[in-house]
Amino acid sequence: QVQLVESGGGLVQPGGSLRLSCAAAGNIESIDSMGWYRQAPGKERERVAGISSTGSTNVANSVKGRFAISRDDNRKTLYLQMNNLKPEDTAAYYCTAVLWTATSGWENYWGQGTQVTVSS
């Protein structure tokens, strides 16, 4: 069974930094695109950043220059480095990945989410 497990969330003061991780577990044979989304209370889920299988990245305008996405396929792990955090970055952060398994082929998976709270 495939799982995406996020970690690294928490409470941080404005201007601080956090690094989120998302580890993929299970009989994964290949990884395609990966990404991070977030959802604040009362708001729709929004895409924060994405990274292709070749390493091409893109980030939302709202976090450009502050957030960076990266991946380590050997560790089957996705990262989101978040710097200069603002209160409006407060949300539950979810990772997503398109993964290949022998039993299911290519499928899109989601993690359970990790909470990031930016407050003084």
Side-chain angles (χ1 to χ4, degrees), residues 4 22 33-37 78 94-98 108-111:
L4 296 179
C22 171
S33 60
M34 307 179 83
W36 290 96
Y37 284 71
L78 175 70
Y94 301 87
C95 71
T96 181
V98 179
N108 189 38
Y109 295 86
W110 288 86

Side-chain angles (χ1 to χ4, degrees), residues 54-90:
T54 60
S56 297
T57 65
N58 57 82
V59 296
N61 288 335
S62 58
V63 304
K64 195 164 291 184
R66 301 187 297 120
F67 290 13
I69 187 172
S70 62
R71 60 193 280 171
D72 183 340
D73 284 0
N74 289 329
R75 297 178 185 269
K76 297 180 182 174
T77 301
L78 175 70
Y79 302 99
L80 184 68
Q81 179 65 45
M82 305 185 294
N83 299 324
N84 190 21
L85 282 159
K86 303 176 180 181
E88 52 263 41
D89 295 319
T90 295

Side-chain angles (χ1 to χ4, degrees), residues 1-24:
Q1 186 175 358
V2 172
Q3 281 187 312
L4 296 179
V5 181
E6 297 106 333
S7 60
L11 174 64
V12 64
Q13 292 186 344
S17 299
L18 284 175
R19 188 193 195 203
L20 303 184
S21 299
C22 171

